[in-house]
Amino acid sequence: MAPPKEPRNPDWSEDEIILALDAYLSAKPKDLQKASPEVAELSALLRQRFRQMGIQGQDTLRNIAGVYMKLQNLKAHDPDYLARGKRGLAAGNRLEQRVWEQFGTHPAELHAHSHQLRAFIAAKVQVGDVEDDVQVIDGALASEGRLLVRVHKTYERSKSNRNRKIQQFQAQHEGRVFCECCGFDFERTYGERGHGFIECHHAVPLSRLAPTQKLSLRDLRLLCANCHRMIHIAQPWLSIETLAAGMKLPRSR
Ligand SMILES: [Zn+2]
Ligand SMILES: [Zn+2]
């Protein structure tokens, strides 16, 4: 009888491709080789992340050869490389294409994003189970990547952050709680049932945080469910002020 097949290694995620493209562009014009320390470092980082997520994978999971191969695939999209009449190994997949399109001409932005991802991995940041939202706010994925969206959502959802933020807000607004964008007050509309009902939103995209900056209660804003959704659907995320400025109906507050 044939031995049971080992589970296939997971496909590269957007976050991983972001980290790989950052390594690729940071090394340019040098071409990373299989023996380059950068390749070994990236492989170790990605394997560490899988261990954190409890994913065993095969021995080949993001090993040096696999990471090197991915870098070669990324090269297939590099305009400089193609301009020399070269062809990449393969046509490359769509996710690679998308990450290239978004960041290829914005290496500083890519680097900041990658830096943030690395910091969260190093901090072994635990993220909640927000899979549903990650799908719902799919538009945000391309701008923030999966891990950052999850960290964002986990921070916003944290009960203690929420309670502290609401208390601060109430103290400044005669005990009321309402959407900072449209003014919607759940209690005014739904009565007692809506008391204290509101969502929190971290207004600074995590990829824009400076390296030393941390997620902060100061950057939490209170939003109704509709406004929160609208902000996350746009790409890149809208500021509350931009969303408010474009509203057709007057604020209800
Ligand atoms: Zn609102
Ligand atoms: Zn949010």
Side-chain angles (χ1 to χ4, degrees), residues 23-69:
Y24 175 83
L25 291 179
S26 299
K28 266 178 95 170
K30 194 178 79 173
D31 236 347
L32 290 176
Q33 304 301 317
K34 210 184 260 185
S36 302
E38 292 93 332
V39 175
E41 191 274 338
L42 182 57
S43 161
L45 179 81
L46 298 180
R47 289 171 72 88
Q48 181 190 353
R49 178 69 191 145
F50 278 110
R51 278 196 302 277
Q52 284 176 7
M53 295 190 293
I55 295 173
Q56 195 63 50
Q58 303 176 23
D59 288 347
T60 53
L61 179 65
R62 306 304 182 254
N63 65 2
I64 288 179
V67 168
Y68 177 68
M69 178 64 79

Side-chain angles (χ1 to χ4, degrees), residues 179-184 223-228 247:
C179 174
E180 290 187 59
C181 182
C182 73
F184 191 86
L223 291 177
C224 73
N226 282 349
C227 290
H228 198 183
M247 284 182 66

Side-chain angles (χ1 to χ4, degrees), residues 152-153 156 200-202 228 232:
H152 175 107
K153 282 278 149 195
E156 295 179 344
C200 283
H201 169 64
H202 195 272
H228 198 183
H232 278 288

